Amino acid sequence: MSAHGAPQPITARKGGPLRGTADVPGDKSISHRALILGAMAVGESRITGLLEGQDVLDTGRAMRALGAEVVGHGAGSWSVHGVGVGGFREPDSVIDCGNSGTGVRLIMGAVATHPFATTFTGDTSLCSRPMGRVTDPLALFGAQAVGRSKGRLPLTLVGASDPVPVRYATPVPSAQVKSAVLLAGLNAPAETVVIEREATRDHSERMLAGFGARIATEDTPEGRVITLTGQPELRPQDITVPRDPSSAAFPVCAALIVEGSDVLVPNIGLNPTRAGLFETLREMGADLTYENPREEGGEPVADLRARFSPDMKGVPVPPGRAASMIDEYPILAVVAACAEGVTDMPGVAELRVKESDRIDAMAQGLCAAGIDVDEGADWWKVTGRGPNGVPGGATVAARLDHRIAMSFLCLGMASQQPITVDDAGPIATSFPIFQPLMERLGADFGGRDS
Ligand code: S3P
């Protein structure tokens, strides 16, 4: 089992305003997909702006174990020499995906239609997450999962030697499940079809089309129907990874709640399947503007400007928006704590099976910091105490979850008393430069006691 070493506690306390420009790293979802599809193309793909977080590095290592050549050239520039669809070889040892649900689920899909066995594991967080949601549809292709009784890692996936195409309606709103099925469908004959009731992030579909696969998306009364024609020859690509809106969320939200702040976060991907948080913040009354809106590499992009917003009000967040902001609920809860009134977040059962049970992790930490939270199986409500109203003065558990750690450090920047996160180590999975970037803006992590 992997681990990131000794716990690294960090304390955030109220300092001056946050000011300046925040250059956040590349998009994690797109980075995983660039490495995996690069490994399945014939020839060399070049990637710039790749997120060099631990999750993505673990996926790069897995692609090497499956036979692709993956080389880092520094500063986010990488090349991947792919082996072609159907060209992966049996790995010599266990694939350890660390903390990454996206990594393990997408790679399971990619190997499921190859005639060999792959054993997967991860850290204690990943080993507690459900894998049946992926191994069930992969079984329809003819792959067999052997492992722990509850469908958790470690498990071995024996790939189908004679795969059949699949038509699958996803029972949960999950881009990871959708992508696993599509990646498996690449090495199956004829058409693989995925139907999703709620649209989830569509980076796999966009990138598969970019690599030359035949893929069509149609919105029907049944939901969104995605049809992929199997066994294409994928052509290598030059990919520029846009910056991650889920990472941008942290400096943006910190600026909204820290008095006097004014922060510019340039070049942020605003794909509608990812931008739900920013819409919600604007509904709350956030001073958040999109500057210089444009298109880059087929994705809408803008520079975000966030200023301290003392008049924010709690809002009901429509459940239909959940998929487009699923990773942003923890930091939204922090903003909600600093707004007036109740922020109601229904339809979010998926939050309970992320890197941690994010409703429980946030509820416990917020309560310790003096904020009221009500919760049920698939909903929660945060009652805000207004700007400068959060007592703080708590030590909270990050639970091996990068977004929980970053969310509470942002809260500590705005609360009356400091907030200590027991272990900031997991932040390296998605946003390795979080601490220096926030410090350059003016954050005070001076209470660091590691
Ligand atoms: C991701 C999909 C989401 C998200 C995760 C990244 C992806 O997970 O939470 O951080 O890259 O496909 P689910 O598909 O489980 O909702």
Side-chain angles (χ1 to χ4, degrees), residues 27-30 32-33 55 101-103 105-106 129 133 172-179 200-201 203-204 246 274 323 326-327 350-351 353-355 358 402-403:
D27 190 285
K28 181 153 72 74
S29 293
I30 295 176
H32 282 294
R33 287 159 172 81
D55 279 8
T102 305
R105 292 182 176 130
L106 268 56
R129 298 179 67 185
R133 56 178 51 201
V172 284
S174 167
Q176 293 175 359
V177 174
K178 169 177 66 179
S179 302
T200 63
R201 66 191 67 193
H203 305 302
S204 296
S246 299
R274 297 288 300 281
I326 195 66
D327 290 336
E350 281 295 297
L351 290 183
V353 290
K354 294 295 178 187
E355 286 82 333
R358 285 184 170 158
H402 52 133
R403 300 197 202 282

Side-chain angles (χ1 to χ4, degrees), residues 21-66:
T21 299
D23 287 321
V24 303
D27 190 285
K28 181 153 72 74
S29 293
I30 295 176
S31 294
H32 282 294
R33 287 159 172 81
L35 290 176
I36 295 169
L37 287 183
M40 297 179 87
V42 180
E44 184 169 291
S45 293
R46 283 174 300 190
I47 309 169
T48 50
L50 190 86
L51 167 64
E52 292 173 336
Q54 193 55 48
D55 279 8
V56 175
L57 298 178
D58 287 339
T59 288
R61 216 157 26 92
M63 292 304 105
R64 279 191 207 111
L66 291 164

Side-chain angles (χ1 to χ4, degrees), residues 41 54 64 107 118 130 155 160 162 185 222 229 236 253 260 263 314 316 361 370 386 396 438:
Q54 193 55 48
R64 279 191 207 111
I107 298 167
T118 312
L155 66 73
D162 198 6
E222 244 188 312
T229 304
C253 290
V263 170
V396 302
M438 295 305 296

